[in-house]
Amino acid sequence: MHHKLWITVNSILIVFSVIYIWFFRPHDSSLVITAQFLAQIAMFLFLININMYFIFLVIRKTSIRTVKIRLAKFSRVMMKWHISIALTATTIIIGHAAINLYEVAPAIGFANLKLISGYLAISLLFVTLVAGYRRHKKASGFRRKFHLFTAFAFFLMFLIHMFIPI
């Protein structure tokens, strides 16, 4: 039951963001369109990584052995890609930010709420990356929780950033 809700929420988020970005936030500039496309790709990659938490949550909470085994095998494969996905998405988001700082910021102002939320989101992303790196080097309960907390804080700020109109 929970996995259906989880899949539904993820699907709605992806579809809603596509509709919002491409139909309610259209632009004439090919650079801005490129930045939107980069943001869409990065969002999808970050969503893959943040969903690892929910996979582990289902593994811990379910009493169905076959589900635990299937998800444990899946998570073993996915965790090998977790760092690569995060670094790829970060690189893509830096491209998104650079284009917007070059193309959009001079027109709307560098202190616009949309840009401020972007600054906060990218700052939280870098804190999340550092927390993840420290956790990777030496795992502890605190480092796991801190990485998880910063990842969700980044995700929340990124959602806020995405839906703030220009």
Side-chain angles (χ1 to χ4, degrees):
M1 173 62 188
H2 295 288
H3 67 283
K4 290 179 183 175
L5 176 64
W6 166 38
I7 291 168
T8 303
V9 169
N10 279 283
S11 301
I12 288 170
L13 179 61
I14 290 170
V15 169
F16 188 69
S17 71
V18 168
I19 291 169
Y20 179 75
I21 289 172
W22 297 109
F23 295 106
F24 292 101
R25 309 296 321 145
H27 289 278
D28 295 333
S29 167
S30 61
L31 269 177
V32 175
I33 291 169
T34 301
Q36 286 177 315
F37 182 67
L38 292 175
Q40 203 75 76
I41 294 168
M43 184 201 79
F44 182 71
L45 293 173
F46 285 131
L47 200 56
I48 289 170
N49 267 358
I50 209 145
N51 276 310
M52 290 306 299
Y53 168 75
F54 296 104
I55 290 170
F56 291 128
L57 185 66
V58 171
I59 291 170
R60 277 194 309 274
K61 299 290 182 182
T62 189
S63 59
I64 304 167
R65 190 174 190 290
T66 56
V67 171
K68 282 186 183 224
I69 292 169
R70 196 173 310 133
L71 286 176
K73 288 178 182 178
F74 176 75
S75 67
R76 255 186 241 122
V77 171
M78 284 306 297
M79 284 310 289
K80 290 178 183 172
W81 291 95
H82 184 78
I83 294 170
S84 298
I85 290 170
L87 294 177
T88 301
T90 300
T91 303
I92 292 169
I93 250 350
I94 289 170
H96 163 79
I99 291 170
N100 283 319
L101 287 173
Y102 174 77
E103 187 77 12
V104 176
I108 66 170
F110 288 89
N112 182 286
L113 187 57
K114 180 80 163 182
L115 294 176
I116 291 170
S117 65
Y119 305 148
L120 289 171
I122 207 159
S123 298
L124 285 168
L125 172 59
F126 284 113
V127 172
T128 302
L129 290 174
V130 169
Y133 175 77
R134 295 197 63 206
R135 179 172 187 241
H136 178 70
K137 287 300 173 191
K138 182 181 178 199
S140 71
F142 173 78
R143 289 182 179 186
R144 182 187 68 80
K145 288 176 186 170
F146 187 68
H147 179 58
L148 181 64
F149 174 79
T150 58
F152 277 106
F154 158 70
F155 191 65
L156 178 64
M157 192 67 233
F158 136 73
L159 285 175
I160 291 168
H161 168 71
M162 184 170 70
F163 293 111
I164 291 177
I166 293 178

